[in-house]
Amino acid sequence: MSSLASLSRISRPIDRAALIERYRRNRERSRALFDLLIDENALYSRPIALRHPFVFYEGHVPAFSLNTLVKSALGEPGIDSELETLFARGIDPPTDGATADDAARERERWPGRDVVERFARAADARVIEALTRADIDRPGHPWLDRAEAVFVILEHEAMHQETLHYMLHRLPWDAKRRPAGDRPRLEGAAPPPTWIEIPPGRATLGVDPGSAPFTWDNEGPHHAEPVAAYAMERHDVSNAAFMEFVTAGGYQEPRFWHPDDWIWVQREGIRQPPFWERHGGDWSWRGMFEAIRLPPAWPVYVSHAEATAYARWRGARLPTEAEFQRAAYGVPGGGERPFPWGDAPPEPRHGVFDFTAWEPAPVGSHPDGRSAWGIEDLVGNGWEWTSTPFGPFPGFRPRASYPEYSADFFDGDHFVMKGGSPATASELLRPTFRNWFRARYRHVYATFRCVRDRA
Ligand SMILES: [Fe+2]
């Protein structure tokens, strides 16, 4: 640590050792995910048509870190401009479905595994070197004020780990290795629906950049919104609860669906949630490593379109982003807390997040994570869909370090998700963090709960 003594000109103390530790932990977690792939065929496969093959992400994550911190922010040279360009955005996947020779063509589009791994190791070395010695915290600098580029690369990798998780979920079971000791929690029956009344009040949305160590552009600025009285379900909608919608013919009844979603349901022949599979009269959950007899008490994972249709069938609706905020962070009598359970940093007893499980747990099985209103699992066990289209808060400003991060998605087609899933890093569980997806994107670990208006 003696080399750190020469860094006294940095205006604010930054904990380099902690940042390096976090970078290394991220890299190890990514490595462990790629190591689940059984062979090179799996590495070059593309289980979700709209995503690149796994090999792209093996190169993209370190390339993004190198491009963002070392090259753009610090102005230092790169390693291999061709690979840095290839892995910055990748090659657009074909829009048509898989064909027999897709696998062979996919293989030709990307460099060999040894090339990708060598590049990743070199990029890691340069990033660690920068984190150890470079002037990474420069007040007023567009990329390095409060070490912004460092947090951008750290959170970018953590978010890609979640993408990798749900891509892995779609891969055939014989294409991945099951870690020793993996045992999904299957116990329990789904609790009966319970509605919790929340009186009118205000909800904080957003935070001013500068009052938190790091936030993305879409998290600011700080403002508060009035929220009318409403009732929210205590639990996420379980597989058992959603089964009632399925058996009642909900997927065949246009009046529950937004017209565009109805066209999609018809066209794609969708009849059930994306993690459900039917074998004769039996239903199973498409688990990460095996088929699991459908656990009735697990939260159902569905698209926004399916969540919205179910809520309409129940005579209810999805919560707005502000209603989610008030339910999760508001306190009866006024005030807000940083986590649903209070001030304590996230721990496994509060919910299922931070890569502690490959599947969700039964709803309501983490009472220590309840909100002040007694609402369960608002953070963890699956992102929560809201009815709010993803958009900028008043006064939004994109960041120089990653201007397209949010602005490319302010199109009215994406909806805000809050909370977190089993594959969400604990650093991302802050109350202002916002996630977003298209209404009909079905692969993500997203659940929901219903709300109703109150007079
Ligand atoms: Fe990325």
Side-chain angles (χ1 to χ4, degrees):
M1 286 294 161
S2 60
S3 63
L4 299 187
S6 63
L7 298 165
S8 54
R9 64 198 170 86
I10 290 175
S11 58
R12 281 158 290 186
I14 51 162
D15 189 343
R16 286 178 187 270
L19 294 174
I20 292 167
E21 212 276 312
R22 200 168 145 190
Y23 186 79
R24 287 193 198 281
R25 188 159 43 96
N26 262 352
R27 299 306 291 139
E28 280 163 24
R29 203 157 54 197
S30 295
R31 181 76 264 145
L33 290 172
F34 289 111
D35 284 347
L36 294 176
L37 299 168
I38 202 100
D39 58 16
E40 290 209 12
N41 288 335
L43 180 70
Y44 287 81
S45 70
R46 190 158 58 85
I48 298 177
L50 294 172
R51 297 276 170 202
H52 289 306
F54 290 100
V55 68
F56 165 75
Y57 299 96
E58 191 165 23
H60 168 68
V61 170
F64 180 92
S65 298
L66 180 78
N67 287 338
T68 301
L69 178 64
V70 177
K71 291 170 67 183
S72 300
L74 295 169
E76 294 175 12
I79 299 165
D80 180 323
S81 60
E82 206 173 306
L83 290 178
E84 284 147 26
T85 304
L86 175 68
F87 288 125
R89 277 280 190 175
I91 302 161
D92 285 337
T95 49
D96 55 344
T99 59
D101 62 351
D102 255 8
R105 275 191 291 158
E106 198 67 66
R107 193 68 172 255
E108 286 163 21
R109 284 193 185 105
W110 304 95
R113 180 170 215 174
D114 53 334
V115 174
V116 179
E117 291 185 344
R118 203 178 322 124
F119 169 73
R121 277 195 301 274
D124 282 345
R126 295 288 302 281
V127 171
I128 299 275
E129 169 74 14
L131 293 174
T132 307
R133 297 185 207 289
D135 186 2
I136 52 175
D137 182 11
R138 304 182 196 172
H141 189 284
W143 296 64
L144 290 166
D145 191 49
R146 299 157 53 82
E148 181 174 297
V150 178
F151 288 98
V152 163
I153 68 169
L154 291 170
E155 296 211 354
H156 173 261
E157 179 153 13
M159 289 188 279
H160 268 296
Q161 289 165 348
E162 179 153 6
T163 314
L164 286 168
H165 255 248
Y166 69 71
M167 282 175 59
L168 283 162
H169 229 114
R170 293 287 140 196
L171 201 62
W173 294 307
D174 61 6
K176 49 198 168 182
R177 295 183 184 88
R178 184 177 195 157
D182 170 51
R183 277 236 309 268
R185 285 184 62 176
L186 299 170
E187 81 280 8
T194 312
W195 295 88
I196 294 191
E197 306 285 336
I198 300 187
R202 291 177 78 73
T204 295
L205 291 164
V207 59
D208 289 329
S211 55
F214 171 75
T215 54
W216 293 101
D217 53 6
N218 66 64
E219 293 176 69
H222 169 277
H223 69 293
E225 274 186 22
V227 183
Y230 63 108
M232 177 180 265
E233 286 190 291
R234 178 177 185 145
H235 299 106
D236 287 314
V237 173
S238 64
N239 286 324
F242 202 88
M243 183 63 87
E244 293 175 32
F245 174 72
V246 173
T247 53
Y251 279 89
Q252 285 90 47
E253 180 50 69
R255 70 195 153 109
F256 303 129
W257 298 82
H258 183 283
D260 293 343
D261 297 340
W262 176 245
I263 292 168
W264 167 73
V265 165
Q266 296 281 91
R267 190 184 62 224
E268 306 289 328
I270 292 168
R271 293 285 179 273
Q272 66 208 45
F275 286 78
W276 291 17
E277 288 177 355
R278 189 173 197 162
H279 311 279
D282 293 330
W283 289 94
S284 62
W285 174 275
R286 185 187 167 76
M288 181 68 96
F289 302 107
E290 62 184 339
I292 300 168
R293 192 183 168 85
L294 189 68
W298 285 7
V300 70
Y301 284 172
V302 286
S303 64
H304 185 271
E306 291 159 287
T308 304
Y310 172 92
R312 243 180 240 174
W313 172 75
R314 288 269 307 272
R317 59 179 174 80
L318 297 184
T320 64
E321 184 176 9
E323 286 169 340
F324 178 92
Q325 291 298 98
R326 181 151 167 76
Y329 307 108
V331 175
E336 290 178 321
R337 314 191 298 196
F339 297 103
W341 52 85
D343 297 314
E347 292 174 24
R349 68 190 173 93
H350 296 128
V352 187
F353 42 69
D354 206 32
F355 310 95
T356 52
W358 299 101
E359 315 288 351
V363 300
S365 54
H366 290 79
D368 286 354
R370 274 179 198 153
S371 80
W373 314 95
I375 302 176
E376 315 252 4
D377 305 319
L378 285 157
V379 168
N381 220 27
W383 291 93
E384 308 242 344
W385 284 114
T386 75
S387 61
T388 303
F390 182 55
F393 290 151
F396 166 85
R397 285 180 55 197
R399 302 273 168 80
S401 57
Y402 199 164
E404 74 278 20
Y405 176 67
S406 306
D408 280 6
F409 303 95
F410 293 156
D411 55 9
D413 289 337
H414 294 77
F415 290 86
V416 173
M417 300 192 314
K418 295 289 298 187
S421 87
T424 306
S426 57
E427 298 91 8
L428 308 182
L429 301 178
R430 56 182 178 268
T432 53
F433 189 87
R434 307 166 84 200
N435 202 343
W436 64 92
F437 277 93
R438 287 182 195 277
R440 296 182 282 278
Y441 193 66
R442 304 186 88 207
H443 303 296
V444 69
Y445 302 133
T447 186
F448 69 105
R449 67 189 74 221
C450 296
V451 299
R452 285 176 175 156
D453 295 324
R454 282 289 180 268

